[in-house]
Amino acid sequence: MIIGGGIGGAGAAIALRNNGFDATVYEARSARGTQYGGCYVLWYAGVMSLARLGLLDKAIALGHRVDRFEMCGEHGSTHYSVDMAARIAANDVTPLAIRRADLLNLLYGELGADALHLNSTMATMSQDGSGVTATFTDGRTARGTVLIGADGLQSRVRAHLHGLTPPRHPGYAHWSGISETDGGAPAGVFRILHGRAARFAFFHLGDGRVCWWAVRNGPAGRGSDHLGVYAGLTRFFRDWGPIVTGLLAATKPSSIHRRDTFDRSPLMRWGSGRVTLLGDAAHAMTFDLGQGAGTSLTDGVVFADQWARRGAPIAALRGYERARRKVTLPLVLASRQIGAATAWGGPFGPQANALILRTLGAKVTPPLLALDARSHATLHPFAMGETESISVG
C-alpha cells in the first residue's frame, strides 16, 4: 500500500509493478490533476529513474531538455555555467524541464485507474507480523504486506511513526508562472539570476512557453507580503534585464502563483516494522537544489530494486532506508544552506553571494546535482565528474 498519489507515490507503484509486485496508491484528492504544482527541472537521477520506469521517451515529448545551467547576476553577468554537452553525449542523460501536471498525468496513465484510489485519506494504521492495515476517514480499511508513506510534507504516516512538528520556513517567498511567449529566453538554458536577497530563474518547456520562478525574502503567508499582486512583482524586478521583464509581461497575472516553501530536519530513522516513508514525507527539502521530485522518483526505484534483490519485505525496507538516507541527508542540508546564502541582504549581500557562486558554488553545486545519480549503480553506469565543462565568469 502506498499512501499518497504524488510524483513519488505514483512512481513507486510503477517501479514495484515493474519488479513483479502488486501496489495500490491511496490519494486524498477527489480528482486527478486538480492541484497546481508548477514546473520541474529533473536532474540526472530523476531522468534515469524515468528511464527505469519505461517513461523517459514520453516525458521528453512533454518537456524540454536542458543542456546548460547558468548562475548569473541580476543584470546577466555570468558567475559560472555548466555545459552538459559532453555528459549528454557520453551517458544520454539530459536534465529535463517539465510541468508537474504533465509528469503526474504521465505517471497516472502508466499506473492505471485500478491501482489509484482517490478520496482516500488515511486516518490510522496498525501492523502485525504479517502485514499492515490502514483505516481511512470514511471508515474503509485496506491491508498490505508493507505500507509506504508518500503523503508529503504533512504526512499522516510520518505523524503516526514520529509525531508531526511544524515544518521549517526558510524566510523567503516563492512565485512562479508560465509565460505565453519565450520573452527572449534562450532555449535549452536553465538560468538563475541573483540579486539582493532575491532570485529569478527561467527555463523552456518545449512548446514556446517558458517557466519562471522568483524568490524574495519574506515571512510565510500571503497577507504579509506586498509582492502578492502582479504589479508589485513586476515593479520589484523591473531593472533585472529585458528577459526578466519580457517573461513577466508575457505571463497572465491570473496564472502567477505564490507559495511558501518549507523543509524538515532529517530523520535518522524513517520507518518501523513494515512501514516506511518516501519523498517529502521522509526528506522534505527546499527547492534550492531542485532535487525534490527527482529524489522522490529515485526512492521508489531503489525500494523496488531492494525488494526484488532481497526477497524479504522487511529487509528490503531497511535496506532502502539505509541507501536513501545517506544520499538525501546531504541534499536536505545543502538545499537549506544554499537558500540561506542566497537570501543575504544588506549593501554587500550581492557581492558576497557572487563571490561564493564563482568559487565554492562552481565546485560544489555540479557534484551535488549529480550525487543521487552517482550513488545508485542500478540506475545507470554513470561516470560522474570527468565530462563536465564548467566556466566561471
Side-chain angles (χ1 to χ4, degrees):
M1 294 184 294
I2 299 173
I3 306 298
I7 301 296
I14 296 168
L16 285 163
R17 187 180 63 187
N18 289 351
N19 278 271
F21 303 103
D22 292 327
T24 302
V25 177
Y26 297 89
E27 166 58 38
R29 288 179 296 143
S30 60
R32 292 169 36 165
T34 58
Q35 184 181 34
Y36 174 81
C39 311
Y40 299 134
V41 170
L42 291 176
W43 293 93
Y44 313 106
V47 174
M48 293 176 182
S49 296
L50 282 176
R52 284 289 311 278
L53 298 180
L55 297 174
L56 181 55
D57 289 342
K58 292 180 180 178
I60 290 172
L62 294 171
H64 190 71
R65 293 190 181 219
V66 176
D67 53 30
R68 178 174 289 274
F69 175 53
E70 298 179 347
M71 288 286 196
C72 302
E74 63 186 271
H75 301 299
S77 59
T78 302
H79 298 325
Y80 73 85
S81 63
V82 182
D83 184 356
M84 278 82 76
R87 170 179 294 175
I88 293 165
N91 299 285
D92 194 28
V93 179
T94 313
L96 179 67
I98 190 168
R99 292 177 67 243
R100 182 184 187 276
D102 290 340
L103 178 57
L104 194 55
N105 285 332
L106 175 62
L107 294 170
Y108 283 169
E110 180 70 14
L111 182 61
D114 290 345
L116 176 65
H117 293 203
L118 299 171
N119 288 310
S120 299
T121 300
M122 194 193 80
T124 62
M125 67 178 190
S126 61
Q127 59 176 307
D128 52 39
S130 61
V132 188
T133 299
T135 302
F136 299 93
T137 54
D138 61 2
R140 286 178 297 137
T141 62
R143 186 167 172 84
T145 306
V146 300
L147 184 147
I148 300 174
D151 46 343
L153 184 74
Q154 302 289 356
S155 169
R156 294 193 175 206
V157 178
R158 177 172 173 146
H160 277 276
L161 292 172
H162 306 290
L164 193 61
T165 57
R168 185 192 73 102
H169 185 264
Y172 42 84
H174 178 275
W175 294 262
S176 62
I178 298 176
S179 68
E180 298 300 313
T181 63
D182 65 21
V189 175
F190 178 17
R191 182 179 296 169
I192 304 178
L193 293 84
H194 293 256
R196 182 176 300 175
R199 287 170 282 167
F200 191 99
F202 57 81
F203 46 85
H204 275 251
L205 291 173
D207 55 0
R209 297 181 300 167
V210 173
C211 181
W212 58 264
W213 53 257
V215 176
R216 184 173 184 263
N217 286 0
R222 298 172 184 267
S224 62
D225 201 316
H226 71 278
L227 291 185
V229 295
Y230 179 71
L233 192 64
T234 55
R235 184 167 57 251
F236 181 84
F237 289 102
R238 66 181 180 273
D239 297 324
W240 281 50
I243 295 179
V244 174
T245 56
L247 290 174
L248 289 171
T251 304
K252 296 177 181 178
S254 60
S255 69
I256 296 176
H257 297 262
R258 182 200 184 280
R259 65 181 177 88
D260 291 309
T261 187
F262 297 92
D263 68 4
R264 290 188 181 278
S265 296
L267 291 168
M268 295 299 103
R269 178 177 63 87
W270 288 6
S272 176
R274 294 175 176 270
V275 181
T276 194
L277 303 173
L278 181 149
D280 281 352
H283 46 73
M285 61 188 80
T286 65
F287 62 87
D288 297 282
L289 266 176
Q291 296 293 297
T295 54
S296 296
L297 284 170
T298 307
D299 284 351
V301 171
V302 171
F303 175 63
D305 285 346
Q306 287 280 332
W307 201 345
R309 185 166 70 250
R310 294 174 181 267
I314 295 179
L317 288 167
R318 303 293 89 83
Y320 150 77
E321 291 165 357
R322 287 191 295 271
R324 297 305 290 152
R325 272 201 315 266
K326 69 181 182 182
V327 180
T328 57
L329 173 61
L331 292 176
V332 171
L333 298 178
S335 295
R336 179 178 292 191
Q337 292 302 316
I338 289 170
T342 57
W344 288 345
F348 302 108
Q351 294 90 332
N353 189 34
L355 178 62
I356 290 175
L357 288 171
R358 290 192 183 103
T359 55
L360 186 63
K363 294 179 180 179
V364 172
T365 304
L368 282 172
L369 295 174
L371 175 63
D372 205 2
R374 185 169 51 195
S375 301
H376 300 290
T378 57
L379 290 180
H380 196 285
F382 205 79
M384 304 300 304
E386 299 179 353
T387 58
E388 285 180 342
S389 175
I390 303 175
S391 58
V392 180

